[in-house]
Amino acid sequence: MKMSFRWYGTDDSVSLEYIRQIPNMKGIVSAIYDIPVGEVWPLEKIESLKQTIEAAGLELSVIESVPVHEDIKLGKPTRDQYIDNYKETIRNLGKAGIPVVCYNFMPVFDWTRSNLAYPLEDGSTALIFEEEEVNKMDPRKLSLPGWDESYTEEGINQLMDEYKEVDEEILWSHLEYFIKEIIPVAEAANVKMAIHPDDPPYSIFGLPRIITGKEALNRFIKLYDSKYNGVTLCVGSFASDPKNNAVEILRDMLEKDRVNFVHARNVKLTGGKSFQESAHLSEKGSIDMFEVVKALVEHGFEESIRPDHGRMIWGEEGKSGYGLYDRALGATYLNGLYEANIKIVNQNR
């Protein structure tokens, strides 16, 4: 597996210089953040981003993400133009030698939490999801890091109203239409697509969510039978639903050769659908991270993995979930698990 790290560009408080100092760090996961959703990413901007990263001694290993326009998810007549733009972006990414694109098909909102700085027992702060608190929220007035910030309140209101006519099966049909259009282009461009699970993996605010567990992933990969139609296996997202076994889901997709990218983070289930994001260490959460890395090693996984959301520790300030220190600790922990599992596998041969 190839260790990588999320970087939000030159405005990120975490520099490429610091990221490079993390042991075994090879790749950067990033995107172009000043292009409106639905427009084509110019080749020169992609190449400029790549050159900046390479000048720091790293490589641009994954684009996360190329957002999918809401008209595509809603199945509007305008979707074909946005899909054509998406195809052109994929072609440009292929020309620049970008191997993987992470994206999601969540209506309106990306990952959702109820508190971005919840104090844990050790004095650190973390992202949490409290079901009762989320149920009280007004989705028309929310803003979280990583969300598309171009929407006006009026625009959000309109989207929420439009999605009243879209249930899970309709959303599945719109996803199928999208996949059958873009994957042949991705194959030709040699760019592996990797859909991210819904986070959390169940309906919130009355909106449909469909990439939610093992059954959903198996339905998804059958939409188009190709390695290029793969998944971002985010164990933390899947484990946020107590009904899911994240390691089992990971192994299932590895056996079918559809894991094109991995997000590794731990979560602690706290009752119902509530959870806290925790340190990566297995005993701190509800996921056996040793088993996660073991599955990757046993299946010869060679794609990128990144430590996902981290706590804020040691007085660090910055983008919630995306500080340097705890994600660096997570990367180091994953390195240790990887080395241990490699030795175990070699000894058993």
Side-chain angles (χ1 to χ4, degrees):
M1 66 186 196
K2 182 188 297 181
M3 190 60 63
S4 63
F5 208 81
R6 184 73 181 267
W7 181 62
Y8 281 95
T10 54
D11 292 335
D12 197 326
S13 61
V14 180
S15 68
L16 290 173
E17 177 187 7
Y18 289 169
I19 294 171
R20 188 185 180 189
Q21 295 171 25
I22 301 169
N24 196 38
M25 189 56 62
K26 306 294 186 184
I28 289 294
V29 178
S30 193
I32 296 175
Y33 299 102
D34 60 353
I35 302 293
V37 175
E39 292 191 10
V40 176
W41 288 15
L43 178 58
E44 57 269 22
K45 276 188 169 285
I46 299 168
E47 290 180 332
S48 177
L49 174 64
K50 184 180 180 183
Q51 289 165 7
T52 297
I53 291 168
E54 290 177 346
L58 297 160
E59 63 182 65
L60 179 54
S61 53
V62 180
I63 286 292
E64 183 181 344
S65 57
V66 181
V68 179
H69 196 279
E70 294 299 329
D71 286 12
I72 297 173
K73 300 173 196 173
L74 286 164
K76 290 186 173 183
T78 50
R79 67 179 170 179
D80 288 329
Q81 181 57 56
Y82 289 118
I83 290 174
D84 286 343
N85 290 351
Y86 206 99
K87 291 176 182 177
E88 192 61 25
T89 294
I90 291 173
R91 293 187 187 103
N92 286 342
L93 290 168
K95 290 175 184 177
I98 309 303
V100 177
V101 169
C102 171
Y103 68 102
N104 71 71
F105 214 74
M106 288 181 267
V108 189
F109 304 113
D110 206 310
W111 58 269
T112 304
R113 302 291 186 268
S114 57
N115 191 329
L116 304 183
Y118 180 80
L120 300 179
E121 292 180 359
D122 61 6
S124 63
T125 62
L127 308 173
I128 70 165
F129 183 96
E130 291 182 300
E131 185 178 11
E132 186 176 342
E133 290 302 314
V134 172
N135 290 339
K136 296 176 185 177
M137 289 180 173
D138 182 352
R140 300 167 193 257
K141 297 180 180 179
L142 287 178
S143 178
L144 289 175
W147 283 11
D148 181 1
E149 298 178 355
S150 65
Y151 294 126
T152 62
E153 186 172 342
E154 181 181 355
I156 289 289
N157 288 339
Q158 180 178 338
L159 278 174
M160 294 295 290
D161 289 340
E162 289 177 322
Y163 272 106
K164 290 178 181 178
E165 307 301 319
V166 178
D167 61 15
E168 290 184 359
E169 285 305 311
I170 292 174
L171 189 61
W172 268 111
S173 69
H174 296 166
L175 174 58
E176 181 175 8
Y177 184 94
F178 175 67
I179 289 299
K180 289 181 175 178
E181 286 288 322
I182 68 162
I183 298 302
V185 175
E187 289 176 325
N190 197 27
V191 176
K192 294 175 183 175
M193 303 300 293
I195 196 167
H196 190 285
D198 301 337
D199 185 12
Y202 35 77
S203 175
I204 56 171
F205 307 135
L207 295 167
R209 289 192 162 189
I210 55 178
I211 307 301
T212 56
K214 183 177 179 180
E215 182 179 346
L217 283 188
N218 278 283
R219 178 174 178 175
F220 170 76
I221 63 175
K222 291 175 183 176
L223 296 179
Y224 197 101
D225 187 13
S226 171
K227 167 67 175 174
Y228 288 82
N229 182 37
V231 304
T232 296
L233 209 302
C234 179
V235 291
S237 292
F238 284 122
S240 299
D241 186 341
K243 295 183 295 185
N244 284 334
N245 182 322
V247 175
E248 180 183 304
I249 293 171
L250 171 62
R251 285 190 173 277
D252 182 52
M253 288 296 107
L254 285 168
E255 288 166 6
K256 291 164 181 170
D257 195 26
R258 291 300 187 91
V259 181
N260 290 341
F261 185 30
V262 171
H263 285 183
R265 62 178 166 86
N266 212 340
V267 295
K268 182 179 180 180
L269 301 176
T270 56
K273 292 181 177 179
S274 299
F275 61 89
Q276 300 172 359
E277 297 196 3
S278 66
H280 283 72
L281 189 69
S282 295
E283 68 180 43
K284 293 297 183 180
S286 300
I287 305 173
D288 188 333
M289 299 302 290
F290 180 88
E291 290 296 325
V292 168
V293 178
K294 180 182 178 183
L296 297 174
V297 170
E298 289 179 345
H299 288 84
F301 181 74
E302 295 181 349
E303 305 285 358
S304 294
I305 182 173
R306 74 170 176 86
D308 205 0
H309 303 164
R311 303 165 298 147
M312 298 305 281
I313 64 174
W314 302 337
E316 184 178 18
E317 296 181 359
K319 186 187 291 289
S320 299
Y322 290 99
L324 170 63
Y325 304 145
D326 198 42
R327 286 188 296 154
L329 289 177
T332 302
Y333 178 56
L334 293 170
N335 282 336
L337 292 179
Y338 179 74
E339 183 174 318
N341 273 287
I342 285 289
K343 289 187 176 183
I344 291 171
V345 168
N346 289 337
Q347 288 170 357
N348 290 337
R349 285 177 178 170

